[in-house]
C-alpha cells in the first residue's frame, strides 16, 4: 500500500491546475478542492500515470489530451427530470408566468449530455410555449455537448426517467418522445429545433443573452464560494428583472453576496427570481 | 466516521444510542439507506441517539458533539477546512452517497486524527476509503464479520485495509466513547 504524502500531492495538484490554466485556458483554481482532488486522482488511475505530475506532463505535451482531462473533470452526470418536484414546479408555477413574455429565452448552463435540455423541451411543448422559446444549452465539455446534440442514452435509464416524467406531471408517456433501438434510446430530434448548443465556460466567459429563465442545476455545487458568487452574478446580469433562476436541490445562495439579488419563489425547490430593483452591476 | 449498508440501520441504532454526550468529537455517518426516497433517516436515527442528529449541510462546518448524516442522492465529502461538500459524481459501487468518497476526503482533511468504522453491509464500498484512512495515520475499526448481518462490507474492509480493531458491534461504541475522551 503506497503511503500518500499530502504535502507533495498538493504541490502536484497546484502545478496541474496551473498547467491547465496557462496552457489551455481552463481555470479550475476556484473549484471545490475535495471533489477536484478526487477527480484528478481518478484521472491518474484511469490513465495509469502513477502521479499527478505525469498527468501534467501529458497535458503539456499532448495537444488532444486536454479534452480527455476536461471530460474527466467535468462530471457530466445527469438524468431526465431529476428531482421531479422541481420539474413539476417549473411546469405549474414558472411556465405560466413565463407565458407573459412574447419571446422567451432560456439559458441552461452546465447542460451535460442534454438530459435536462430534452426534459425542459418536453415541458415547454406540453404547456404550449415551445414555439415562443429559444433555449441556449451550454457546457464547457465538448464531448458532453456532442452527446447532448445526439440525444442518445442507454435504454436502461428509460424506466427511471419515465417514472420521473410522470411524477413531474407528464401528460403522455415519455416513450412518445423517444425511439428505442437495441440498448439505446434516441430522443425525438424535433425537441431541439429551438435549441442552440454552445460551448461556454462559466469561469471565463461572459453574458451572451438576455434570459427569462436560467436553469443551472448541480454545477455550482462544484464551485468554491467566490466562484459561486461570480457565476450567480453572471446569471443575474443575464436575467431580465423578475426572471427566474433554478438551481440544484442542495445548492443555495447563502454563501454568495450576489444571492441578495434574488428572491425565493420556492426556497425548498431552489427556484428564485431576480429582484426587480437591482442594477445590473448588483448595487441596489 | 461511520459507514454501513445492508443491515446498517439495525446496527446504527444501538451504536448511536451508546455514544454518550457530551462528545468532544464530531460523528459522521454514511449509510446506503440514505439513497433517494428515504428522507426519513434523520428523524429515525434521532429517536435512537442521545446526541443531536442532523443531515450534513453543504458548505457548513463539521461540528463536534453532533451526528451528521450523509444526504440521500449525493456524495458527501469533507474539505481540508473541515466543511462539508457535496457532489453528484457517478455512484461508487452503485451507491451515492458512497463511503469510499467520504472516507477518502476525510482522510485528507483529518489525517491521523480520524477513526473510520465499518459496519455491516453487502457492498465493497468503503474498503478503499478505510485503507486511505489508515495510510493517512488514522484508525480503522471494523465490525467482526461474524457478528454482522451482512458480512461482505466488513470482510472487504479487512481484506483491503486491515483493521486496528475488529470487534463485535456492542464493543464499538464504548471504544469510540473512550477514544473521544482521550483524543
Ligand atoms: C453534474 S452535471 C449537471 C447536469 C445537469 N444540470 C443536472 O443537474 O442533471 C455538471 C455539469 O457542469 C459542467 N461544468 C462544470 N464546470 C463548468 C464550467 N466552468 N463551465 C460550464 N460548464 C461547467 C460540467 O461539464 C457538467 O456537464
Amino acid at each position: 500500500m503506497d503511503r500518500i504524502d499530502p504535502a507533495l500531492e498538493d504541490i502536484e495538484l497546484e502545478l496541474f491546475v496551473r498547467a491547465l490554466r496557462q496552457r489551455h485556458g481552463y481555470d479550475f483554481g476556484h473549484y471545490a478542492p475535495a471533489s477536484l482532488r478526487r477527480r484528478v486522482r481518478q484521472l491518474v488511475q484511469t490513465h495509469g500515470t502513477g502521479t499527478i505530475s505525469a498527468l501534467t506532463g501529458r497535458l503539456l505535451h499532448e495537444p488532444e489530451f486536454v479534452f480527455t482531462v476536461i471530460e474527466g473533470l467535468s462530471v457530466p452526470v445527469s438524468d431526465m427530470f431529476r428531482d421531479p418536484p422541481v420539474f413539476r414546479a417549473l411546469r405549474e408555477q414558472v411556465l405560466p408566468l413565463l407565458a407573459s413574455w412574447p419571446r422567451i429565452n432560456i439559458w441552461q448552463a452546465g447542460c451535460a449530455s442534454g438530459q435536462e435540455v430534452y426534459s425542459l423541451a418536453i415541458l415547454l411543448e406540453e404547456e404550449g410555449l415551445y414555439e415562443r422559446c429559444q433555449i441556449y444549452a451550454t457546457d464547457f465539455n465538448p464531448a458532453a455537448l456532442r452527446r447532448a446534440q445526439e440525444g442518445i442514452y442507454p435504454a436502461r435509464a428509460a424506466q427511471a426517467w419515465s417514472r420521473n416524467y410522470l411524477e413531474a406531471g407528464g401528460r403522455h408517456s415519455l416513450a412518445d418522445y423517444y425511439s428505442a433501438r437495441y440498448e439505446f434510446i434516441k430522443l425525438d430530434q424535433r425537441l431541439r429545433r429551438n435549441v442552440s448548443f454552445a460551448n461556454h465556460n462559466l469561469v471565463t466567459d461572459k453574458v451572451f443573452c438576455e434570459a427569462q429563465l436560467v436553469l443551472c442545476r448541480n454545477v455550482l455545487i462544484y464551485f468554491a464560494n467566490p466562484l459561486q458568487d461570480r457565476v450567480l452574478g453572471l446569471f443575474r446580469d443575464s436575467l431580465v428583472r423578475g426572471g427566474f433562476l433554478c438551481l440544484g436541490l442542495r445548492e443555495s445562495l447563502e454563501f454568495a453576496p450576489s444571492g441578495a439579488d434574488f428572491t425565493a419563489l420556492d426556497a425548498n425547490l431552489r427556484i428564485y427570481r431576480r429582484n426587480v430593483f437591482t442594477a445590473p452591476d448588483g448595487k441596489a | 466516521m461511520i459507514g454501513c449498508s445492508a443491515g446498517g440501520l439495525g446496527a446504527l441504532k444501538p451504536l448511536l444510542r451508546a455514544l454518550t454526550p457530551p462528545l468532544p468529537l464530531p460523528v459522521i455517518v454514511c449509510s446506503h439507506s440514505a439513497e433517494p426516497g428515504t428522507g426519513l433517516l434523520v428523524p429515525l436515527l434521532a429517536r435512537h441517539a442521545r446526541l443531536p442528529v442532523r443531515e450534513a449541510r453543504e458548505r457548513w462546518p463539521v461540528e463536534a458533539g453532533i451526528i451528521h448524516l450523509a444526504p440521500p442522492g449525493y456524495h458527501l465529502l469533507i474539505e481540508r477546512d473541515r466543511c462539508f461538500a457535496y457532489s453528484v459524481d457517478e455512484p461508487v459501487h452503485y451507491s451515492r452517497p458512497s463511503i469510499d468518497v467520504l472516507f477518502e476526503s476525510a482522510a485528507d482533511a483529518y489525517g491521523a486524527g480520524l477513526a473510520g468504522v465499518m459496519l455491516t453491509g453487502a457492498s465493497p464500498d468503503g474498503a478503499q476509503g478505510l485503507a486511505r484512512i489508515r495510510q493517512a495515520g488514522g484508525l480503522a475499526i471494523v465490525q467482526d464479520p461474524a457478528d454482522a448481518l451482512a458480512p461482505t462490507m466488513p470482510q472487504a474492509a479487512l481484506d483491503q485495509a486491515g483493521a486496528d480493531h475488529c470487534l463485535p458491534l456492542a464493543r464499538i461504541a464504548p471504544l469510540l466513547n473512550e477514544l473521544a475522551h482521550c483524543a
Side-chain angles (χ1 to χ4, degrees):
Chain A
M1 226 185 278
D2 307 325
R3 277 216 162 250
I4 292 149
D5 180 343
L8 181 60
E9 201 196 44
D10 281 355
I11 298 173
E12 294 192 86
L13 191 60
E14 209 178 301
L15 292 174
F16 173 81
V17 168
R18 185 159 152 207
L20 205 46
R21 181 176 59 237
Q22 289 191 321
R23 184 68 184 171
H24 299 287
Y26 289 102
D27 189 354
F28 284 86
H30 300 280
Y31 276 57
S35 197
L36 180 66
R37 200 176 299 123
R38 174 165 183 270
R39 305 294 299 183
V40 175
R41 282 176 186 162
Q42 274 188 344
L43 276 171
V44 169
Q45 274 211 329
T46 318
H47 296 281
T49 61
T51 63
I52 299 177
S53 301
L55 202 65
T56 309
R58 294 192 60 182
L59 189 61
L60 291 173
H61 297 289
E62 296 174 31
E64 296 297 312
F65 193 60
V66 61
F67 298 110
T68 312
V69 168
I70 292 303
E71 170 80 353
L73 297 184
S74 102
V75 199
V77 178
S78 191
D79 285 300
M80 285 191 81
F81 299 97
R82 160 144 73 180
D83 308 321
V86 173
F87 282 88
R88 182 181 273 276
L90 287 174
R91 182 194 288 273
E92 292 172 359
Q93 293 174 54
V94 175
L95 298 197
L97 294 169
L98 277 183
S100 65
W101 276 283
R103 300 275 324 149
I104 304 163
N105 284 336
I106 299 175
W107 178 15
Q108 168 131 46
C111 68
S113 308
Q115 293 88 335
E116 285 189 343
V117 181
Y118 292 99
S119 308
L120 192 66
I122 290 172
L123 282 190
L124 293 165
E125 283 279 23
E126 294 188 356
E127 301 307 312
L129 289 180
Y130 190 92
E131 297 309 332
R132 275 200 265 158
C133 290
Q134 172 63 44
I135 302 175
Y136 300 97
T138 66
D139 204 284
F140 78 154
N141 175 348
L145 279 173
R146 270 196 302 278
R147 290 191 295 267
Q149 271 162 301
E150 289 171 357
I152 297 175
Y153 307 105
R156 68 186 128 77
Q159 203 181 354
W161 293 358
S162 295
R163 224 179 305 122
N164 287 353
Y165 163 79
L166 292 175
E167 268 181 63
R171 297 183 193 278
H172 306 282
S173 150
L174 188 60
D176 296 345
Y177 296 100
Y178 64 75
S179 49
R181 226 166 281 147
Y182 306 107
E183 316 279 270
F184 296 96
I185 60 171
K186 181 169 175 76
L187 269 293
D188 185 344
Q189 291 299 288
R190 273 174 311 183
L191 287 170
R192 42 169 281 218
R193 63 192 184 280
N194 293 350
V195 181
S196 313
F197 292 94
N199 196 315
H200 181 281
N201 188 335
L202 291 165
V203 181
T204 41
D205 293 333
K206 310 230 148 50
V207 172
F208 66 93
C209 70
E210 188 182 65
Q212 277 71 30
L213 165 64
V214 171
L215 200 77
C216 181
R217 300 182 2 100
N218 304 307
V219 181
L220 295 185
I221 209 169
Y222 291 101
F223 296 172
N225 296 344
L227 181 56
Q228 268 204 349
D229 187 49
R230 186 201 118 83
V231 173
L232 285 168
L234 200 64
F235 294 157
R236 174 198 61 221
D237 297 346
S238 303
L239 280 168
V240 300
R241 285 152 195 265
F244 297 88
L245 172 66
C246 179
L247 302 179
L249 265 191
R250 299 306 175 108
E251 294 165 326
S252 71
L253 301 174
E254 64 192 340
F255 289 92
S258 305
D261 299 328
F262 297 91
T263 303
L265 178 77
D266 187 323
N268 281 332
L269 297 181
R270 306 301 196 261
I271 302 176
Y272 306 88
R273 299 190 79 167
R274 193 196 133 181
N275 293 343
V276 173
F277 299 111
T278 33
D281 64 359
K283 293 184 203 85
Chain B
M1 193 84 30
I2 302 172
C4 63
S5 177
L9 276 183
L12 276 174
K13 288 178 196 168
L15 188 149
L16 296 182
R17 190 183 306 127
L19 292 177
T20 47
L23 199 75
L25 293 180
V27 180
I28 305 172
V29 178
C30 180
S31 161
H32 290 168
S33 332
E35 300 274 1
T38 55
L40 304 169
L41 200 58
V42 172
L44 189 81
L45 289 177
R47 263 187 279 130
H48 292 271
R50 294 163 63 193
L51 296 161
V53 179
R54 290 193 205 142
E55 186 175 276
R57 285 185 74 184
E58 203 232 357
R59 281 166 213 261
W60 286 68
V62 179
E63 273 181 73
I66 290 186
I67 299 170
H68 305 268
L69 298 192
Y74 293 80
H75 291 304
L76 179 67
L77 300 91
I78 319 281
E79 295 287 1
R80 294 265 176 95
D81 65 3
R82 300 183 180 180
C83 288
F84 291 111
Y86 283 20
S87 98
V88 288
D89 284 22
E90 327 53 10
V92 174
H93 298 296
Y94 305 101
S95 297
R96 195 173 59 199
S98 141
I99 303 166
D100 276 340
V101 174
L102 174 64
F103 279 17
E104 283 172 28
S105 65
D108 292 336
Y110 288 96
L114 175 69
V117 182
M118 293 292 297
L119 303 177
T120 165
S123 145
D125 183 30
Q128 206 179 314
L130 195 71
R132 198 75 172 213
I133 289 179
R134 292 196 87 194
Q135 282 166 15
L139 207 63
I141 302 168
V142 177
Q143 180 180 8
D144 184 344
D147 176 63
L149 195 69
T152 308
M153 199 140 115
Q155 191 59 53
L158 288 179
D159 294 345
Q160 278 189 54
D164 300 287
H165 301 272
C166 179
L167 303 169
L169 183 66
R171 288 183 48 204
I172 293 180
L175 175 64
L176 291 176
N177 283 326
E178 195 187 308
L179 286 171
H181 288 284
C182 64

